[in-house]
């Protein structure tokens, strides 16, 4: 079962940040509409299931 941590849109919060929490991250995705491109960001946890997320895209291995 995939989770947010395996998604290319998942960005962990760095330990140096005030809102750092183990496993916490931001889901950051580029969207497009007739006026142009923009970014959407929302807080997620690394262990949240991604199976029902239509935006899930597996992160490439580092
Ligand atoms: S919410 Fe969806 S798009 Fe965002 S990180 Fe999780 S699986 Fe990826």
């Amino acid at each position: 079962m995939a989770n947010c941590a395996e998604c290319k849109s998942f960005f962990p919060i760095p330990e140096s940040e005030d809102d750092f929490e183990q496993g916490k991250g931001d889901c950051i995705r580029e969207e497009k509409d007739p006026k142009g491109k923009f970014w959407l960001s929302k807080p997620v946890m690394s262990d949240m299931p991604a199976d029902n997320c239509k935006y899930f895209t597996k992160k490439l291995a580092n």
Side-chain angles (χ1 to χ4, degrees):
M1 201 169 83
N3 57 32
C4 284
E6 296 166 56
C7 178
K8 77 174 177 67
S9 299
F10 180 78
F11 296 88
I13 309 235
E15 272 184 55
S16 54
E17 296 297 316
D18 288 343
D19 56 345
F20 170 79
E21 218 179 280
Q22 196 61 48
K24 193 172 166 188
D26 290 314
C27 167
I28 301 174
R29 294 189 302 102
E30 189 182 80
E31 283 276 346
K32 256 184 251 172
D33 74 5
K35 286 187 271 178
K37 289 182 184 176
F38 54 97
W39 293 90
L40 291 179
S41 168
K42 66 171 184 181
V44 289
M45 296 304 288
S46 60
D47 59 356
M48 277 170 47
D51 296 317
N52 293 323
C53 180
K54 64 178 178 178
Y55 302 112
F56 175 76
T57 308
K58 198 156 175 63
K59 198 181 278 186
L60 296 174
N62 297 318

